[in-house]
Amino acid sequence: MTMHPDDLLDQLKKTATPRKQKTLDLIHEVCREQYERGSKDFSVATIARIAEDRGGPSKGAIHNKTGDDYKGLIKAWAEHTGGVSRKVRQISANPYTALIDKIENPALRSMMAGLLAENRQMRREITLLKAEGNRVIDMRPQSATPREAVQILPASTGLFPSEIEALRHAVSDRLLKD
């Protein structure tokens, strides 16, 4: 027989610091609200998300070794109300996802799900590239349209003959053709 959440709260608060008592009260209040809403979801993730919005502990803090009291209180609420302390993963109609759901090792399941997501992303990119594959790039020189007026500046007297020759070579038709 499991202990009632109110009794467990009283027992946990006897040995807790004032700060932890306040946090335990917050977790207890969040769980009570879940029960009053008719929700059966007493997972650490859900309770932590709601509690953290009110200044309570984060999901990571509850999962730590120091969060055992919080987890115990959440579990007591789940057992008392007939709720679940772990979220049940939704089974998808996708055959690949159904196959991944059969993998028992969580690390391997996570890795395979990542590979599947990467595969889907690459397939989307390939489809996008195929759709844009018929794009034509026109690299012909532009037609002789009237250009803006060209401003001709006087020759500078400070250039050496070798510099003038280098500039002539830089704009020569032969160099541009090459």
Side-chain angles (χ1 to χ4, degrees):
M1 175 123 185
T2 60
M3 186 180 286
H4 191 277
D6 294 335
D7 298 335
L8 180 61
L9 176 66
D10 292 337
Q11 186 179 4
L12 291 173
K13 285 174 65 174
K14 286 179 185 175
T15 59
T17 64
R19 182 176 177 196
K20 189 166 187 175
Q21 288 177 3
K22 182 180 173 188
T23 307
L24 284 166
D25 285 334
L26 179 63
I27 296 289
H28 187 68
E29 179 184 330
V30 168
C31 289
R32 182 183 306 281
E33 289 174 5
Q34 281 289 92
Y35 170 66
E36 290 170 356
R37 270 191 227 110
S39 176
K40 299 287 186 186
D41 183 6
F42 288 91
S43 65
V44 171
T46 301
I47 301 300
R49 182 177 35 81
I50 297 169
E52 192 174 11
D53 290 343
R54 300 179 188 179
S58 67
K59 178 181 168 187
I62 294 175
H63 277 298
N64 286 341
K65 181 69 176 162
T66 57
D68 286 344
D69 293 343
Y70 306 130
K71 285 188 279 193
L73 185 59
I74 294 169
K75 184 176 180 185
W77 267 104
E79 290 174 359
H80 174 70
T81 61
V84 292
S85 59
R86 288 182 167 252
K87 284 190 177 181
V88 178
R89 293 188 315 128
Q90 298 292 326
I91 297 176
S92 171
N94 184 341
Y96 296 117
T97 308
L99 183 63
I100 287 176
D101 286 340
K102 292 180 181 181
I103 299 173
E104 292 184 16
N105 184 338
L108 183 59
R109 181 174 50 237
S110 175
M111 188 171 70
M112 292 304 294
L115 287 171
L116 180 63
E118 185 179 352
N119 183 296
R120 280 193 303 258
Q121 176 66 28
M122 288 182 178
R123 285 180 182 271
R124 281 193 296 269
E125 289 175 7
I126 288 171
T127 303
L128 180 65
L129 289 171
K130 282 180 182 177
E132 294 186 12
N134 296 332
R135 184 170 291 193
V136 176
I137 300 173
D138 186 5
M139 299 194 54
R140 293 177 290 179
Q142 297 293 326
S143 62
T145 57
R147 295 185 181 172
E148 296 179 17
V150 177
Q151 184 180 6
I152 300 175
L153 300 174
S156 174
T157 57
L159 295 176
F160 292 111
S162 61
E163 293 173 330
I164 294 172
E165 183 60 34
L167 288 172
R168 281 192 183 124
H169 176 69
V171 295
S172 70
D173 288 337
R174 179 175 177 214
L175 181 67
L176 293 176
K177 202 180 263 186
D178 287 345

